[in-house]
Amino acid sequence: HEERKPTKLRTANGIVAAILCIIFLAHAILGSVKFGEPGFSGNFVWVVWVGVGLIVIHIIMSVGTTVSMMTDSVRPPSAKKKRHQLIKWLGGIAILVVAGIHMLTTAGIAGPFPAHLGPWAAVLMFALIAALGWHLFTASKSLLKDLHVPDHKRWRPLVRGILVAGCVIAAGILAAALF
């Protein structure tokens, strides 16, 4: 069957999602470095707030694209497509929940990992990196299609590898800083 071209909304959401990938991965890596290197300035708070704004935009556009797809009477979504959509949403929700807890408990902390937060905060940060990796891995298929990448199926493993590698690097830097 012929693949449908992404709508303008999906294309715009793909662009926002690609920017969010870069911001999230940079934040995860730089935030992990900040714990191990007290002298690291890492004064990029404004980027975090740009990211928060883009997250809100991404959620709104994702709701729009999901509703459009689920209510399409010409090409109704298959069970496989519905399952894929659900997995993407669960990954996004996991990021929101863990990131919200992260912002309330550990954001703004500089220098060595503060003992008063206890080991649960480290677990929280690793969970955030894992949720991010899961969502990026799952959503990369849609991202490449939404960005009109030619032969997107061929590029998917490479993009997934790069995105997951970024999460692994962030987790490794965080582990080195904590242990």
Side-chain angles (χ1 to χ4, degrees):
H1 73 283
E2 183 182 325
E3 284 196 31
R4 182 181 324 161
K5 286 189 79 174
T7 62
K8 289 180 181 179
L9 180 60
R10 279 190 66 176
T11 300
N13 197 21
I15 292 167
V16 170
I19 294 167
L20 280 172
C21 288
I22 294 165
I23 289 173
F24 261 121
L25 290 174
H27 177 67
I29 292 169
L30 294 173
S32 297
V33 169
K34 194 172 187 177
F35 278 110
E37 294 293 326
F40 179 70
S41 68
N43 192 5
F44 302 105
V45 174
W46 65 271
V47 176
V48 173
W49 288 111
V50 167
V52 169
L54 289 173
I55 290 167
V56 171
I57 292 168
H58 178 58
I59 291 169
I60 291 167
M61 289 194 290
S62 293
V63 168
T65 59
T66 300
V67 168
S68 174
M69 180 195 63
M70 293 297 182
T71 60
D72 188 342
S73 59
V74 176
R75 288 196 51 190
S78 65
K80 182 179 176 182
K81 181 64 179 172
K82 288 178 183 177
R83 186 174 49 255
H84 178 73
Q85 200 69 12
L86 176 64
I87 291 169
K88 286 193 303 185
W89 274 100
L90 290 174
I93 291 167
I95 292 170
L96 277 178
V97 168
V98 181
I101 296 168
H102 165 66
M103 287 175 64
L104 292 171
T105 59
T106 61
I109 296 169
F113 196 76
H116 74 278
L117 290 175
W120 91 273
V123 171
L124 174 72
M125 292 171 73
F126 284 116
L128 183 53
I129 293 169
L132 176 62
W134 170 28
H135 188 64
L136 293 176
F137 183 87
T138 304
S140 62
K141 174 182 177 181
S142 301
L143 176 66
L144 292 171
K145 287 174 75 171
D146 294 351
L147 294 176
H148 309 271
V149 173
D151 199 14
H152 59 83
K153 289 179 182 177
R154 187 172 69 102
W155 290 100
R156 190 180 325 145
L158 176 64
V159 169
R160 283 180 169 171
I162 291 167
L163 295 172
V164 171
C167 291
V168 169
I169 289 167
I173 292 169
L174 180 59
L178 297 174
F179 308 108

